[in-house]
Amino acid sequence: MKTIGVLTSGGDAPGMNAAIRAVVRTAISKGMTVKGIIRGYNGLIEGDIIDLDVRSVSDIIHRGGTFLYTARSPLFKTEEGMQKAIETCKKEGIEGIVVIGGDGSYRGARDLSERGVPCVGVPGTIDNDISSTDYTIGFDTAMNTAMEMVDKLRDTSQSHDRCSVVEVMGRHAGHIALQIGIAVGATAVLVPEVPVDMDSVIEKIRKTQKTGKEHFIIIVAEGVGGVDNIAKQIEAATGIESRATILGHVQRGGNPSVRDRVIATMLGSAAVELLDKGIGNRVICKRGNDITDMDIFEALNMKKDLNFDMLDVANCTSI
Ligand code: ADP
Ligand code: F6P
């Protein structure tokens, strides 16, 4: 391929910029031309395309967000939107695209690949909920942000002998909640993968209180929700003053961690290696220490479970 495009799509994630930089520089070092597609699939539909050279991606490796912007594009899910996107590719001479995003973005990449524009997906979402890969760009930074915020809450919770009920991101998956729960020593972790049992949460608080625990942290994944109600239930049942906090989008921002910058660079570069060989319709995966790739269809049909062994450890180390 002589000309490739790169876009970021869905929710932004710290490290996306590092991935874009890797795509641009790897492609240029192979003699390719790179086009930046602005605001995800919307940019393809509207023809919002910029030329990217080596210096276009200077000074972004350490920045959160995505300098190409990102968006959710309902029109792209229609045949009309898809055809407009294909016309833009023809007009701009884009022969293949690196799509950095989550599962939804992979579906778009699959549809474009089927229609003759080979795409390679790079996993980018703070939720780490893409089945084909152990790791997604942004997960580490988001968790470090969440941990820092919960540590701050712990100070005030400790001072007042309170219970802090904290919602972290993860609409469909509890990966962030689980690891944060362990990292902050939460008394309980509530995830969408396990039915909520408030009786056992309250029982655990009572039990730990009897052994001298004076303040409590409960981590709740966004997909479970209802933190205000959970806090009220805990206060009513135990008499412990409780406060609810939703960390929200703060978790999506900030300078990417070392892990996110390095992995994003490796994943972005691997995507270009495939397009350079004329291979599309694939996704890049991190498996153990290896960077590999897989068919998009296969990737989208996989299921990623929560690490239930880790959940057991979280529960038994927070007694
Ligand atoms: P993420 O990539 O983070 O999972 P979304 O699910 O919002 O985020 O998907 C991002 C974009 O990918 C959507 O706005 C849409 O343009 C495209 N997309 C999502 N699902 C599909 C689908 N089934 N077919 C085609 N495109 C899709
Ligand atoms: O990026 C994934 C995610 O952070 C989810 O955990 C969350 O539910 C969603 O994005 C929120 O996205 P937005 O508010 O940008 O639509």
Side-chain angles (χ1 to χ4, degrees):
M1 286 182 198
K2 285 199 165 53
T3 303
I4 64 166
V6 55
L7 63 82
T8 46
S9 165
D12 65 336
M16 280 184 162
N17 278 327
I20 299 165
R21 173 179 173 276
V23 168
V24 171
R25 298 231 170 125
T26 306
I28 289 173
S29 72
K30 289 176 175 299
M32 297 162 132
T33 299
V34 191
K35 307 257 181 183
I37 300 158
I38 307 298
R39 293 188 177 81
Y41 293 120
N42 278 340
L44 267 189
I45 293 170
E46 290 159 16
D48 196 358
I49 312 285
I50 56 170
D51 293 327
L52 295 174
D53 62 25
V54 276
R55 293 278 76 80
S56 315
V57 288
S58 294
D59 217 20
I60 62 167
I61 195 165
H62 61 298
R63 292 188 202 281
T66 158
F67 94 109
L68 289 178
Y69 300 85
T70 186
R72 297 201 165 87
S73 171
L75 184 56
F76 187 73
K77 290 188 186 179
T78 66
E79 195 54 43
E80 184 202 346
M82 201 82 66
Q83 288 308 324
K84 281 190 176 157
I86 291 166
E87 275 167 33
T88 301
C89 291
K90 281 187 189 145
K91 190 170 152 235
E92 297 282 342
I94 295 172
E95 296 161 274
I97 301 176
V98 177
V99 172
I100 305 165
D103 263 346
S105 305
Y106 279 10
R107 289 196 177 86
R110 173 203 58 197
D111 292 353
L112 261 187
S113 297
E114 271 177 349
R115 286 162 179 77
V117 182
C119 295
V120 177
V122 168
T125 162
I126 65 162
D127 290 349
N128 201 21
D129 61 349
I130 301 182
S131 315
S132 49
T133 184
D134 294 348
Y135 190 81
T136 61
I137 296 165
F139 185 50
D140 186 61
T141 308
M143 287 198 301
N144 278 296
T145 302
M147 183 181 69
E148 203 182 312
M149 298 297 131
V150 179
D151 285 348
K152 288 177 199 287
L153 286 169
R154 177 193 278 271
D155 290 343
T156 161
S157 182
Q158 179 268 322
S159 307
H160 288 263
D161 293 326
R162 278 177 178 159
C163 175
S164 215
V165 182
V166 190
E167 182 190 292
V168 298
M169 271 192 170
R171 197 175 287 169
H172 305 292
H175 306 292
I176 296 179
L178 175 54
Q179 299 218 14
I180 291 302
I182 291 179
V184 304
T187 302
V189 182
L190 306 182
V191 290
E193 292 85 349
V194 179
V196 175
D197 177 359
M198 276 312 293
D199 290 341
S200 72
V201 172
I202 288 162
E203 187 49 33
K204 180 120 184 250
I205 291 174
R206 285 202 181 109
K207 245 180 151 174
T208 56
Q209 198 182 26
K210 276 189 195 133
T211 59
K213 198 165 172 61
E214 294 171 326
H215 62 98
F216 308 84
I217 294 167
I218 310 295
I219 299 293
V220 181
E222 181 188 0
V224 172
V227 278
D228 278 321
N229 191 28
I230 292 171
K232 278 189 189 123
Q233 283 187 61
I234 291 171
E235 187 161 322
T238 63
I240 300 163
E241 240 192 322
S242 300
R243 294 286 186 272
T245 306
I246 297 176
L247 295 186
H249 289 80
V250 69
Q251 296 161 96
R252 289 242 293 260
N255 298 349
S257 64
V258 173
R259 186 165 161 78
D260 277 323
R261 293 180 202 192
V262 173
I263 293 177
T265 301
M266 300 306 290
L267 295 171
S269 195
V272 176
E273 294 288 344
L274 286 185
L275 289 180
D276 187 44
K277 292 183 197 134
I279 302 169
N281 202 22
R282 308 285 290 177
V283 293
I284 308 295
C285 326
K286 184 173 187 306
R287 298 268 177 126
N289 287 325
D290 297 330
I291 304 289
T292 59
D293 57 274
M294 176 187 293
D295 182 82
I296 295 189
F297 284 87
E298 204 185 316
L300 284 170
N301 284 325
M302 290 173 75
K303 196 177 160 342
K304 189 179 208 172
D305 268 337
L306 193 71
N307 187 333
F308 290 101
D309 291 340
M310 219 179 215
L311 188 59
D312 288 342
V313 172
N315 285 328
C316 85
T317 53
S318 60
I319 52 173

